[in-house]
Amino acid sequence: MLHSTTIHLPEWINEVVDWQRRYDNDDEKMALAITLSQQNVARGTGGPFGSAIFEIETGKLVSVGVNRVMPLSNSSAHGEMVAIMLAEQAVQSFSLGADGVARELFTSCEPCAMCLGGTLWSGVKRLVCAATAEDARAIGFDEGPVFEQSYQYLRDAGVEVVRNVQQPAAAAVLQSYVQDGGTIYNG
Ligand SMILES: [Zn+2]
């Protein structure tokens, strides 16, 4: 029986990500998440979703994630979860806020039910989304039981939520995925 599994990013990540760069504003940060989603489609390494986690105060990039569900045979390997797991390994804590450094998650598409829960448990203080759940559903992806109250729960827990940042660019990546014949798993 297997006793472990591995989550890893595609090999092209370091061609796309500048780990030394400081990101000054939401547009720069979201541009990275959307670029990751677009490259993941273009290079055939997973579904059309990308995420990135930053330190809020410094703009330092902590981790990135792309959807790896099919390549890794792992239904949990959504972009947000991959970014969260790698960030937690980077800071060596199950909480991305326990050390007093506030961190934020940028995602190219509003989180599914799993990832919205994962966002809450991760300890990030801010969630910023591009494409909407409706954009994902429009190409056949099911986001699961996510309700407006779910977002309010996060806000009540101290997580700032910002939506529709660069939504058209992120939605265009979703459309390109389906136009190129990308597989809609869990559809
Ligand atoms: Zn998800």
Side-chain angles (χ1 to χ4, degrees), residues 44-154:
T45 47
F49 305 101
S51 293
I53 293 177
F54 303 87
E55 292 183 2
I56 293 176
E57 194 166 308
T58 66
K60 178 177 182 282
L61 179 62
V62 181
S63 72
V64 300
V66 291
N67 179 287
R68 300 286 283 154
V69 168
M70 288 188 290
L72 300 181
S73 301
N74 187 330
S75 64
S76 302
H78 289 193
E80 299 96 320
M81 298 305 300
V82 171
I84 288 168
M85 285 189 269
L86 292 174
E88 289 172 350
Q89 286 301 300
V91 305
Q92 283 291 293
S93 172
F94 59 83
S95 169
L96 296 175
D99 58 2
V101 178
R103 298 183 177 86
E104 58 191 344
L105 169 64
F106 279 68
T107 179
S108 68
C109 185
E110 289 175 354
C112 73
M114 171 179 67
C115 295
L116 201 64
T119 299
L120 180 59
W121 308 140
S122 75
V124 295
K125 294 297 181 199
R126 197 161 180 261
L127 168 66
V128 185
C129 315
T132 66
E134 193 54 45
D135 292 326
R137 279 194 289 271
I139 65 164
F141 279 109
D142 184 1
E143 294 274 75
V146 175
F147 311 103
E148 282 305 312
Q149 303 97 294
S150 313
Y151 283 102
Q152 191 56 45
Y153 193 103
L154 263 69

Side-chain angles (χ1 to χ4, degrees), residues 153-169:
Y153 193 103
L154 263 69
R155 291 188 181 100
D156 291 345
V159 180
E160 182 189 356
V161 179
V162 181
R163 295 156 80 180
N164 289 297
V165 173
Q166 297 181 31
Q167 179 269 339

Side-chain angles (χ1 to χ4, degrees), residues 136 157 170 179-180:
Q179 280 160 16
D180 291 350

